[in-house]
């Protein structure tokens, strides 16, 4: 996993359709659970996504020694007010 995070290795995906279906199922389940708990997960997801993209500097994500994306000075935390 560390090599993947550092882009030193790649993962072999044998069935892209099955992987995509599985990922979509996880998202649908999460949105459903949030709905049952009176949460607005789609809006929260949009805000978190926007926040994550604020970690991008000049079109690139900056990574630390462990391969984790760092938070630059222009990073903006997601405002989840009204979503929970």
């Amino acid at each position: 996993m560390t090599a993947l995070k550092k882009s030193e290795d790649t993962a072999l995906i044998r069935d892209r359709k099955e992987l995509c279906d599985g990922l979509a199922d996880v998202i649908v389940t999460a949105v459903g659970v949030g709905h049952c708990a009176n949460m607005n997960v789609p809006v929260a997801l949009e805000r978190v996504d926007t926040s994550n993209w604020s970690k991008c500097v000049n079109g690139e994500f900056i990574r630390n020694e462990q391969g984790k994306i760092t938070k630059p000075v222009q990073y903006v935390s997601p405002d989840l007010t009204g979503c929970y």
Side-chain angles (χ1 to χ4, degrees):
M1 187 58 121
T2 301
L4 284 174
K5 285 184 178 180
K6 290 183 176 181
S7 300
E8 296 172 349
D9 202 356
T10 57
L12 175 63
I13 300 169
R14 296 188 195 281
D15 190 331
R16 294 183 62 81
K17 180 183 175 200
E18 285 296 317
L19 175 60
C20 188
D21 181 52
L23 292 171
D25 281 344
V26 170
I27 294 167
V28 168
T29 299
V31 170
V33 170
H35 175 76
C36 290
N38 295 314
M39 295 179 179
N40 193 339
V41 175
V43 170
L45 181 59
E46 181 180 320
R47 292 178 186 177
V48 169
D49 186 55
T50 298
S51 171
N52 283 338
W53 281 105
S54 75
K55 296 175 186 175
C56 192
V57 177
N58 298 323
E60 298 286 330
F61 290 104
I62 309 302
R63 297 176 184 271
N64 65 17
E65 302 79 35
Q66 292 78 36
K68 182 175 170 58
I69 296 173
T70 61
K71 296 176 183 170
V73 293
Q74 76 270 11
Y75 171 74
V76 179
S77 296
D79 179 4
L80 300 180
T81 304
C83 294
Y84 55 91

